[in-house]
Amino acid sequence: MNKILNDNSHRRYNILTGEWILVSPHRTKRPWQGKQEQIKIAKSKSYDENCYLCPGNTRANGSVNPQYTKPFSFVNDYSALLSSVPEEHYNKGLLRAKSEKGICKVVCFSPDHSLTLPVMPIDDIMEVVNLWIKEYKELGSISYINHIQIFENKGDIMGCSNPHPHGQIWAQESIPVEIVKKTQNQLEYWQKNGAGLLSDYLDQELSHKERIIAENESFVALVPYWAIWPYETMILPKRKIGSIDKLTAKEVNFFAAMIKDVTTRYDNLFQTSFPYSAGIHQAPTDGNNHDEWHFHMSFYPPLLRSATVKKFMVGYEMFADPQRDITAEQAADTLRNKPSKHYSIT
């Protein structure tokens, strides 16, 4: 990376969204006099009788969980999207609205209340990935479902309402704005170059090595050149695959291993259960041929300086452009040099 850019403010272009980000690496030298917090170390147990997601427990709406031993999914009891919404359109002057149908599901990663992805065995994470694949196929086959968002909010500061290891899947009628932008930019590149945008980007990253965190036979973990969050990462399959249902059994294994690797490095960064929002972006399920798509999993963590100092999108970020203080190269170097063995394992 050009040293002038690494030491001075500059803008970087996001090839997937067509947007820019401001990078201000010189700001990391400023003294911190902001908020300080004490690290909360909670005792964990494998079963919590008060947890709505533990096996055999009764949920808030009265439903009872089965005594599941593998990842378990169910329709969210308080879904943001409903499948039985009457079709309506509202157009009055500059005011527009339309009804939106969808299905929201909860995915419990493990029956063990105390586990998170970085401390789960790879075989168990593979079970999670296989359930994601099953849900993507089944939900995507529903005629009105055009997009499926798989995601996890980890940690209470990311809005997680239950500490039991789980994620969510929102399947909906409309294709969200982020997916529309990424589809458009990948399609334009595909039509112009006859190659995948992220495939060519990955080749360039692998040749430079500056932002690579980890690599295995099928996947690469890196800090995107245009990363916004302090320790934002992306997991990319080496093979150009549009969606997770195209993964081979071997690739599922390597995907699970990379998820464990990245989340372990996160925990080791500040020796805490590292919070983040993670999500998989992949081809829409709208019935169109999406040869342009290259699926990827992104992690957006809020921690910057320690286990208690968070990065919020405020001020300039809210009203102008996203901005970061440490460069993608600095973040990658920090994560790359963290061990892939979890700090809690002696």
Side-chain angles (χ1 to χ4, degrees):
M1 183 67 189
N2 187 305
K3 188 177 187 302
I4 294 175
L5 289 184
N6 249 337
D7 292 339
N8 296 279
S9 58
H10 61 278
R11 298 176 85 211
R12 296 192 185 192
Y13 183 69
N14 185 331
I15 59 173
L16 282 171
T17 65
E19 297 167 344
W20 291 84
I21 169 179
L22 176 64
V23 184
S24 312
H26 55 284
R27 277 168 54 87
T28 55
K29 299 182 178 71
R30 76 191 194 279
W32 177 256
Q33 292 182 312
K35 186 176 182 180
Q36 299 285 351
E37 299 173 354
Q38 294 295 316
I39 299 175
K40 296 177 182 178
I41 302 175
K43 293 182 179 179
S44 59
K45 48 187 178 180
S46 59
Y47 170 75
D48 184 344
E49 62 277 6
N50 296 313
C51 172
Y52 291 132
L53 301 182
C54 277
N57 285 4
T58 301
R59 302 201 300 271
N61 73 338
S63 299
V64 178
N65 297 326
Q67 291 289 347
Y68 64 94
T69 58
K70 292 183 176 183
F72 162 61
S73 64
F74 61 92
V75 175
N76 196 320
D77 301 326
Y78 301 96
S79 294
L81 294 161
L82 302 173
S83 59
S84 57
V85 176
E87 187 171 342
E88 281 192 46
H89 291 265
Y90 179 82
N91 285 283
K92 194 164 186 178
L94 297 176
L95 309 180
R96 298 170 61 189
K98 66 178 285 292
S99 56
E100 183 73 5
K101 290 193 296 184
I103 301 168
C104 294
K105 304 195 83 171
V106 175
V107 179
C108 297
F109 296 159
S110 169
D112 191 324
H113 184 84
S114 68
L115 298 183
T116 55
L117 288 173
V119 292
M120 286 172 60
I122 291 174
D123 285 352
D124 289 355
I125 301 175
M126 286 176 63
E127 296 278 6
V128 175
V129 174
N130 282 324
L131 182 53
W132 286 341
I133 292 170
K134 177 176 179 289
E135 292 288 358
Y136 179 83
K137 287 180 178 178
E138 291 180 358
L139 291 168
S141 69
I142 299 172
S143 60
Y144 69 87
I145 296 297
N146 293 309
H147 175 259
I148 296 165
Q149 184 60 62
I150 298 169
F151 66 97
E152 177 197 6
N153 293 323
K154 182 189 174 198
D156 54 3
I157 69 169
M158 299 308 290
C160 183
S161 60
N162 190 307
H164 193 101
H166 74 284
Q168 297 184 58
I169 301 174
W170 289 17
Q172 66 183 102
E173 207 171 359
S174 299
I175 300 177
V177 173
E178 282 297 297
I179 304 302
V180 169
K181 289 186 290 189
K182 290 189 174 186
T183 298
Q184 179 181 343
N185 283 288
Q186 290 182 96
L187 181 59
E188 287 178 359
Y189 192 89
W190 176 260
Q191 291 173 337
K192 181 179 179 181
N193 300 282
L197 175 62
L198 285 179
S199 294
D200 284 356
Y201 168 69
L202 182 56
D203 287 343
Q204 188 172 347
E205 287 287 19
L206 287 171
S207 68
H208 290 173
K209 300 290 185 183
E210 285 183 295
R211 289 167 290 275
I212 304 296
I213 298 168
E215 180 182 358
N216 61 31
E217 186 176 316
S218 301
F219 286 85
V220 174
L222 54 82
V223 176
Y225 179 73
W226 53 83
I228 294 174
W229 293 94
Y231 291 99
E232 178 179 332
T233 59
M234 176 189 289
I235 295 177
L236 270 170
K238 293 181 177 179
R239 185 167 70 93
K240 184 177 171 296
I241 311 168
S243 52
I244 57 174
D245 60 322
K246 304 298 191 299
L247 290 169
T248 65
K250 189 176 182 181
E251 287 169 335
V252 167
N253 179 284
F254 283 116
F255 187 26
M258 191 57 74
I259 291 171
K260 181 176 177 68
D261 188 307
V262 168
T263 54
T264 296
R265 291 174 195 271
Y266 275 155
D267 278 13
N268 288 341
L269 185 59
F270 299 129
Q271 295 202 346
T272 190
S273 186
F274 205 82
Y276 57 73
S277 279
I280 297 174
H281 275 172
Q282 54 194 324
T285 57
D286 56 359
N288 294 323
N289 187 358
H290 287 287
D291 289 337
E292 75 279 4
W293 258 91
H294 192 149
F295 101 79
H296 48 282
M297 184 174 190
S298 296
F299 291 79
Y300 301 155
L303 299 185
L304 172 59
R305 291 170 177 257
S306 72
T308 62
V309 179
K310 310 169 192 70
K311 162 72 175 179
F312 291 103
M313 293 296 171
V314 296
Y316 183 87
E317 294 97 338
M318 294 178 71
F319 294 101
D321 286 326
Q323 182 270 340
R324 63 181 286 131
D325 291 349
I326 59 172
T327 65
E329 296 73 36
Q330 291 167 335
D333 187 61
T334 299
L335 289 171
R336 184 169 49 244
N337 288 303
K338 291 300 174 184
S340 56
K341 180 181 177 182
H342 200 269
Y343 74 89
S344 65
I345 300 173
T346 56

